[in-house]
Amino acid sequence: MSKKNLAILLRARMRSNNPSTKFSLSHFPKEIQSNSQENHSNEGIGNSSKFGTTGRVYDVVRETMHSAISASKTGVLDITLSDFQEGYFNLSLEDRGKLLLVLAKEYDVNREQVRELVKQYLGLENPASDDDSKEALSSVFYRTERNLRQSLRPTYEVLFERLNTHPGGLRFLSILRADLLSILTKENTPSLRSLDTFLKEKLGMWLSPASLELHQITWDDPASLLEKIVAYEAVHPISNLLDLKRRLGTGRRCFGYFHPSIPGEPLIFIEVALMETVAQTIQEVLWDNPPIPENQATSALFYSISSTQPGLAGINLGKFLIKRVITLVKKDMPHVSTFATLSPIPGFMQWLLSKLSSQSRFAEGERDTQSNSPSSTFSEKVLLPEEEQALMSLSDDSSSGSNGMEVLLNLLSVKNCDWPTSPRILPVLEPILMRLCARYLLQEKKRGKALDSVANFHLQNGAMVERINWMADRSEKGIHQSGGIMVNYVYRLENIEDYAQSYFGSGKIHASPGIHSRL
């Protein structure tokens, strides 16, 4: 695909975001259509006539799957695996779910065999150290243990192992797991969970850092690759061809992890801005033009990291990517001494609105009882007295309430509210939202780890919370997710491993004094 066609596709995508504009890929060259359709899990769907009528497709694919597991001849196996992949893509999502359920249940661990081997093992007598038959008895132990280990491996491991070495198999397994994750949201059974856990572990092993190739993505790369960067950018959407060129030009870097089995498509990529100081707003990164000369940069700012494969969810490729990129940038530009992020806080507003709503209900219930009984165990003071007073001074028709929490809840819940641009409201909300955001990042946890998914990602990689920035992302998405607040995480090379270990072991979150002072 040429860069001209890429520009056409970008403009088409921008128009497609307008509900009043009808958009169809059929209006554009076939080359664009094929590249765009590669992003969907239905890619590769072919003519189902090879597998018979629609009613027969599922049965044929199920038989092919069984053959792919049981076949022993290499030549026959290769054909069978190809047929299984093609057949799987011809299945409806409902039939894919049925097939994966069969795979999970009928090709699981043979538990009868496991029980029998456990009985044998428990019946063996441990040979005495002076026994002449010690070696013979030890060999029985080793043989039984080997057989027990083998029996604990599910039969579907054979299918995954064979597909991994088959052309296109790793990509297929990623799509299969994406389907599996989708099915689990509707049918969360133990057998499907076990299948997912096993496949996730396998993919994590096959995608070890040693098997991945780090590549700097530039404007000179094929347009088909650049189109994927546009399509998969998940944090700050690329608006046009000039925006893309700027992100790949002077003062900017883009690195991706590639695997030989999935050529031409990054598994994950990260965008980096070279700056004099750590940016406090995303506008500084995306809109300032031109950037500073690279030899004046002292900071490398990671402002976007995007995964391209839904089927690799939960496999932390970003951890290795960030460390590789830090090493590479430090080697090429020794004058860069600070490595930081400018990150979104995607769960903050959802958490805050939920907290305000629940506490408002508790407060209303206590008023209704009109009693002197102690407050509920679940009741808490979300706001400080001075914050309560400041919010009540804002109370009007659009943000009325009997207390500060209700005023804040109504203010933040109103659609198309102009508070982010109001000179009257903004100064009142800034200290309140910044304090609550610091609390959310440092104190709100799930299973001992940071509740916010992005925070958890960077903290487990060895970063620390350095600074939160007011009105750093004024986009509709930024206001909706985090009230416009963004956070800088800093990777200090001498502390990365220690911080990662303490967070993993005890959930300790390292943060700057400035963040702690907000609490």
Side-chain angles (χ1 to χ4, degrees), residues 211-455:
S211 67
L212 299 175
E213 300 169 358
L214 183 66
H215 172 66
Q216 182 179 343
I217 300 164
T218 70
W219 182 248
D220 295 326
D221 278 312
S224 57
L225 171 57
L226 301 185
E227 191 258 339
K228 290 181 173 65
I229 299 300
V230 173
Y232 289 125
E233 167 56 54
V235 185
H236 305 291
I238 297 172
S239 56
N240 52 47
L241 208 59
L242 180 61
D243 186 14
L244 175 63
K245 190 170 185 178
R246 186 164 53 233
R247 296 193 194 196
L248 301 177
T250 304
R252 300 293 182 265
R253 297 288 188 274
C254 182
F255 297 94
Y257 253 156
F258 292 77
H259 192 280
S261 296
I262 309 179
E265 181 168 346
L267 304 181
I268 187 171
F269 61 91
I270 189 170
E271 295 171 69
V272 187
L274 302 173
M275 312 190 77
E276 277 189 297
T277 59
V278 176
Q280 298 185 48
T281 70
I282 194 61
Q283 290 82 1
E284 297 174 53
V285 178
L286 299 181
W287 297 350
D288 281 2
N289 194 32
I292 64 166
E294 292 188 358
N295 60 5
Q296 296 179 17
T298 60
S299 300
L301 189 81
F302 309 131
Y303 64 93
S304 178
I305 183 165
S306 302
S307 175
T308 68
Q309 307 296 320
L312 301 184
I315 300 172
N316 192 354
L317 299 177
K319 172 182 179 180
F320 306 111
L321 176 60
I322 287 175
K323 290 183 177 179
R324 285 279 301 276
V325 169
I326 288 175
T327 302
L328 186 61
V329 172
K330 190 68 178 173
K331 179 181 178 182
D332 291 346
M333 290 176 283
H335 49 89
V336 173
S337 57
T338 302
F339 297 90
T341 79
L342 183 60
S343 301
I345 313 170
F348 173 54
M349 288 298 279
Q350 181 183 5
W351 166 82
L352 178 57
L353 291 175
S354 176
K355 177 71 69 176
L356 291 172
S357 178
S358 63
Q359 293 305 313
S360 294
R361 287 196 301 270
F362 281 129
E364 183 179 352
E366 290 176 2
R367 285 197 307 270
D368 291 342
T369 59
Q370 295 292 322
S371 68
N372 295 322
S373 59
S375 299
S376 167
T377 306
F378 300 101
S379 178
E380 64 172 302
K381 294 292 184 183
V382 178
L383 301 173
L384 300 176
E386 58 270 25
E387 294 172 344
E388 182 94 20
Q389 184 178 359
L391 285 166
M392 291 306 293
S393 69
L394 291 176
S395 183
D396 55 31
D397 293 339
S398 63
S399 58
S400 60
S402 59
N403 57 55
M405 287 190 297
E406 290 185 8
V407 172
L408 184 58
L409 176 62
N410 293 332
L411 194 63
L412 298 178
S413 301
V414 173
K415 292 183 178 179
N416 302 321
C417 180
D418 62 352
W419 70 262
T421 57
S422 169
R424 184 174 74 95
I425 299 176
L426 213 56
V428 175
L429 292 190
E430 179 178 355
I432 299 172
L433 293 184
M434 291 287 273
R435 181 183 65 81
L436 291 171
C437 184
R439 166 186 165 174
Y440 172 72
L441 290 173
L442 300 190
Q443 297 180 349
E444 297 300 320
K445 297 189 176 183
K446 179 181 179 181
R447 297 174 184 170
K449 301 298 186 292
L451 179 60
D452 189 79
S453 58
V454 175

Side-chain angles (χ1 to χ4, degrees), residues 446-515:
K446 179 181 179 181
R447 297 174 184 170
K449 301 298 186 292
L451 179 60
D452 189 79
S453 58
V454 175
N456 182 58
F457 170 78
H458 287 295
L459 293 169
Q460 70 181 355
N461 293 343
M464 67 173 292
V465 186
E466 179 68 21
R467 181 177 63 198
I468 52 177
N469 305 295
W470 179 244
M471 287 294 112
D473 183 359
R474 294 176 176 268
S475 68
E476 183 179 349
K477 179 182 177 183
I479 298 296
H480 174 72
Q481 287 189 339
S482 63
I485 303 172
M486 299 187 78
V487 55
N488 297 122
Y489 299 101
V490 171
Y491 286 86
R492 290 195 165 84
L493 303 184
E494 66 275 15
N495 296 326
I496 286 179
E497 294 303 326
D498 290 341
Y499 286 0
Q501 288 180 12
S502 62
Y503 179 72
F504 180 78
S506 63
K508 181 178 180 180
I509 296 176
H510 295 270
S512 67
I515 293 290

Side-chain angles (χ1 to χ4, degrees), residues 1 9 13 23 25 31-40 227:
M1 182 175 68
L9 182 58
R13 283 198 173 128
F23 165 69
L25 280 174
E31 186 179 13
I32 290 182
Q33 296 180 36
S34 62
N35 277 284
S36 178
Q37 289 166 349
E38 285 177 3
N39 300 334
H40 300 284
E227 191 258 339

